[in-house]
Amino acid sequence: MIRRPPRSTLSSSSAASDVYKRQCLKRVHSRGGVPFAVMHLYVDRRCHALAPERFDNEPVIPILQALPGVRIGGARQTLTIASAEPEFAAHLKIPLGAPVGLLRRVIWDGDGVAIYVGDLVYRGDLIRMEVELDIPESTEAEA
């Protein structure tokens, strides 16, 4: 069973913000010279202190998975379709107001405390979503 983090750990209260603000990593990812994502990643400063050089230069999730003494309790991500704001349009080299995908990813530890919050903005023209649906087989009587 995956525990959901308490809503208070995801709020913008000063206590929650204090844990993350000091370790905000901003990145723009590109492929073939074309930027496809802008990322604002917030890592619990206690986790960041265990491998600061790695967090500053490598993908965050594999680092969290490998940290000694850190147990991942679960994760959730939410995708919302929106319009590009000025900062993201500039970084992604797309028109202001162009479609983008806003992805909020949260990973929490075994105690339900958020240790990673990622706000990712993807170019809308490069998003492809595929979900496997779990639909039970119908019986002849139901068909």
Side-chain angles (χ1 to χ4, degrees), residues 58-93:
E58 299 175 32
V60 171
I61 294 174
I63 300 168
L64 286 173
Q65 291 174 304
L67 286 178
V70 175
R71 186 172 62 91
I72 294 178
R76 173 189 311 128
Q77 65 181 22
T78 304
L79 175 67
T80 305
I81 304 304
S83 300
E85 296 175 3
E87 174 193 357
F88 302 119
H91 284 302
L92 295 171
K93 298 180 182 171

Side-chain angles (χ1 to χ4, degrees), residues 5-13 16:
R7 291 286 176 206
S8 62
T9 63
L10 304 180
S11 73
S12 59
S13 72

Side-chain angles (χ1 to χ4, degrees), residues 20-130:
Y20 303 103
K21 274 188 181 171
R22 291 190 176 93
Q23 303 307 334
C24 176
L25 309 170
K26 295 182 180 183
R27 300 176 178 172
V28 176
H29 284 225
S30 304
R31 182 171 294 131
V34 177
F36 66 87
V38 177
M39 304 176 181
H40 292 185
L41 312 174
Y42 302 87
V43 178
D44 182 309
R45 68 173 175 232
R46 296 163 295 183
C47 294
H48 189 274
L50 296 173
E53 183 78 19
R54 290 189 66 202
F55 277 112
D56 292 343
N57 296 295
E58 299 175 32
V60 171
I61 294 174
I63 300 168
L64 286 173
Q65 291 174 304
L67 286 178
V70 175
R71 186 172 62 91
I72 294 178
R76 173 189 311 128
Q77 65 181 22
T78 304
L79 175 67
T80 305
I81 304 304
S83 300
E85 296 175 3
E87 174 193 357
F88 302 119
H91 284 302
L92 295 171
K93 298 180 182 171
I94 58 176
L96 183 65
V100 292
L102 307 177
L103 186 75
R104 160 70 52 109
R105 184 177 294 144
V106 180
I107 298 175
W108 57 91
D109 67 11
D111 295 324
V113 175
I115 57 173
Y116 165 89
V117 177
D119 288 320
L120 300 82
V121 180
Y122 290 95
R123 293 173 56 123
D125 60 340
L126 299 177
I127 293 176
R128 177 176 174 235
M129 189 170 123
E130 182 175 328

